[in-house]
Amino acid sequence: MVTETTAGTDWRAWQDSWDRQQEWYMPDREERFRVMLDMVEAFTGPAPRVLDLACGTGSITKRLFDRFPDAVSTGVDLDPALLAIAEGYFAGDERVTFVRADLKDPAWVEALPYDSYDAVLTATALHWLRVEPLTALYGQLGGLVREGGVFMNADHVRDEATPRINAAERAHRHAVMDRAKVGGALDWAAWWDLAAKDPVLAAPTAERFAIYGEHAEGDTPSLDWHTRTLREAGFAEARAVWSSPCDALVLALK
């Protein structure tokens, strides 16, 4: 809801600053989104009904609408601060509905405006969950995606069989991040410090830290775990359609 107080807030600037902060960690973030939307188009066409899962500020929905103006989206998240940015940024856009819900609550699906979706999309979010609730969530998504529809999860993956490769990749990635930070890039903590000082976002930011703490202690399962668990949840096929040294975009086809 846009109030007199929030109407003067530069929601586009907050949306952009969130994107820049996320890109500090993932410089190939836009490439992941491009491949994700390529696959949406391949399986659903140019006017999909999309569930933006753990939507945050609506980064996926923003890119969805930029590419597919006739799409509709439902954004779901528990974070009150990121949802405030999303709702402010998309205020007045009837193509999107935002729902505040906890994905660990089995009843979260009851708050959705639709019974099924052409595509369920999520990025850099589900690693906040432990394996048990993530398994349960995948089971629910098996019932939400229509036949012929897709679920895509772009997130961190781990391969314990390659420790030296993992260590070298991590060292290189962090060296690049350190150089960018010297140049003024905001990290996670610095971005949230700014949000906490903003007159509009201060209260929802305090609430989100009361919910999550500094960071949730989730799991980072392997690619094999994701594809196997998604098939067990009722998806016919599942595999990575994009990967980097530390992330993957897993696509599951119903």
Side-chain angles (χ1 to χ4, degrees), residues 53 103-104 122 125-141 151 153 155-156 218-222 225-226 229-230 233:
L53 193 68
L103 298 179
K104 292 183 289 186
T122 188
L126 299 189
H127 66 274
W128 284 61
L129 298 179
R130 293 290 190 185
V131 164
E132 292 79 7
L134 182 55
T135 301
L137 178 63
Y138 278 0
Q140 289 181 300
L141 297 180
F151 164 66
N153 178 16
D155 210 343
H156 312 315
D219 291 324
T220 312
S222 69
W225 182 92
H226 285 284
T229 305
L230 286 164

Side-chain angles (χ1 to χ4, degrees), residues 195-213:
K197 295 172 184 175
D198 183 87
V200 174
L201 290 176
T205 296
E207 184 182 357
R208 71 87 53 201
F209 277 99
I211 295 169
Y212 294 110

Side-chain angles (χ1 to χ4, degrees), residues 1-15 17 81 83-91 191 194-195 197-202 204:
M1 176 182 296
V2 178
T3 66
E4 184 177 349
T5 302
T6 63
T9 301
D10 190 344
W11 295 116
R12 181 176 295 276
W14 277 110
Q15 176 75 259
S17 71
L83 276 178
I85 295 172
E87 290 170 344
Y89 182 85
F90 291 99
W191 191 91
L194 289 178
K197 295 172 184 175
D198 183 87
V200 174
L201 290 176

Side-chain angles (χ1 to χ4, degrees), residues 97-185:
T97 302
F98 289 104
V99 174
R100 185 175 176 187
D102 185 348
L103 298 179
K104 292 183 289 186
D105 179 355
W108 73 272
V109 294
E110 298 173 9
L112 299 177
Y114 303 105
D115 294 329
S116 68
Y117 288 85
D118 300 314
V120 177
L121 310 176
T122 188
T124 325
L126 299 189
H127 66 274
W128 284 61
L129 298 179
R130 293 290 190 185
V131 164
E132 292 79 7
L134 182 55
T135 301
L137 178 63
Y138 278 0
Q140 289 181 300
L141 297 180
L144 273 177
V145 176
R146 66 159 174 81
E147 291 297 321
V150 293
F151 164 66
M152 280 182 272
N153 178 16
D155 210 343
H156 312 315
V157 294
R158 184 170 295 164
D159 189 341
E160 302 293 356
T162 59
R164 289 191 298 163
I165 295 174
N166 298 348
E169 183 280 325
R170 186 180 188 280
H172 177 266
R173 175 163 41 89
H174 279 263
V176 173
M177 291 166 64
D178 288 344
R179 291 195 293 270
K181 194 170 182 180
V182 170

